[in-house]
Amino acid sequence: MFAAERRQLILEMVRANGAVSLRELARVVQTSEVTVRRDVRALEAEGLLDRRHGGAVLPGGFTRESGFPQKTHLATAEKTAIADLAAGLVEEGEAIVVGAGTTTQELARRLARIPGLTVVTNSLLVAQALAHANRVEVVMTGGTLRGSNYALVGSGAEQSLQGLRVTRAFLSGSGLTAERGLSTSNMLSASVDRALVQAAAEVVVLADHSKLGTDTMFQTVPSDVITHLVTDEPPMGDDRAATELQALADCGVRITVASVSPSDGGETGGGRTRRDVPVPGPRRHVRPGGGQPGAALRSAPLPPEQSAPGRVADLAPRRR
């Protein structure tokens, strides 16, 4: 494919979806991420799109939130790999909360296999994924439906979470930095996510590499309240994402990284590995709801069809 044809296809994908990761662009145009990055730079120079960490967006693309149809086409392989690993943290009989988002929807599809769960959610998509699961109880919050992401928001949602106590909250968002933590571009969604965090002893954030280093308007979870981050391996040359991972480890966040092979293409299965970044020592805060500081999440074994050889990464908090 000639450069002009490649760049036209890239531009059409970004216009259709609002934002697309470099990895996804490379898969569709059947070339390397290095070549795609060069094409994106050329299109940015013409003012046709903006580069973002690990991807491309329409000019000013992060000033507004992409709708659900657009998000479903972004980083599909990464979200699948992240959901596979996150599901391995959940044990039979647990009570958890799961926030709204396309990554948490992928997680919910895997939670359907775990018996005895109670899942509290404000997401219609999460509830739909679990609707026919055997021995999984789904509890919906109240609230007003936000059509762009099929989530219940507002005072009704927040009030229904008062007095709730669960083991873990699984949340996603629009951006993640060590300085501000998890953030989103919508005030109502951020407010409900904060209420979900207050209900949980531990907070697990699910965020693909394109969100690392991105800071959006409304903070939902400060970095010192995040227990565990499940993400994917940043592509070669994405120094900002790698730097952000180190900074999050310095903050005391435990990090599990999923490697996504190019052959995955967004389908389940394929060549995935995991590496954990353990964070020894006590955390700097007490968890909302009385969780003990320093209580690390115990990674339950992955189901046989999802497990892969693991290794402990050498990324750890730097000495100060």
Side-chain angles (χ1 to χ4, degrees), residues 104-295:
T104 51
Q105 181 188 24
E106 286 295 324
L107 171 63
R109 290 173 177 145
R110 287 144 184 83
L111 296 179
R113 311 184 191 119
I114 303 175
L117 288 183
T118 299
V119 178
V120 180
T121 186
N122 69 318
S123 168
L124 299 187
L125 299 173
V126 168
Q128 182 184 44
L130 294 167
H132 301 291
N134 186 31
R135 296 175 58 197
V136 175
E137 182 179 2
V138 180
V139 179
M140 294 289 298
T141 69
T144 302
L145 178 63
R146 183 167 178 255
S148 62
N149 64 347
Y150 300 93
L152 298 172
V153 297
S155 60
E158 295 169 42
Q159 290 172 10
S160 66
L161 293 165
Q162 292 180 2
L164 181 71
R165 187 64 62 235
V166 298
T167 56
R168 296 184 181 96
F170 290 87
L171 297 175
S172 188
S174 302
L176 177 63
T177 66
E179 182 178 1
R180 288 188 72 223
L182 190 67
S183 61
T184 186
S185 56
N186 181 265
M187 181 173 64
L188 294 176
S189 296
S191 187
V192 175
D193 281 354
R194 286 192 288 268
L196 291 171
V197 168
Q198 290 295 320
E202 297 175 335
V203 178
V204 184
V205 170
L206 313 181
D208 66 79
H209 72 270
S210 68
K211 298 176 181 177
L212 298 175
T214 298
D215 192 7
T216 52
M217 189 174 294
F218 299 99
Q219 183 192 57
T220 56
V221 191
S223 56
D224 65 346
V225 178
I226 300 172
T227 309
H228 198 152
L229 166 64
V230 185
T231 186
D232 64 289
E233 193 84 49
M236 292 294 293
D238 192 349
D239 295 334
R240 182 157 185 171
T243 300
E244 207 65 52
L245 282 179
Q246 178 65 68
L248 287 162
D250 291 345
C251 291
V253 178
R254 179 181 173 186
I255 299 168
T256 300
V257 180
S259 296
V260 184
S261 70
S263 61
D264 278 351
E267 301 297 328
T268 55
R272 297 198 189 110
T273 59
R274 59 182 286 164
R275 59 183 175 93
D276 291 323
V277 182
V279 180
R283 296 297 302 272
R284 295 181 283 109
H285 67 283
V286 176
R287 211 35 79 203
Q292 294 298 316

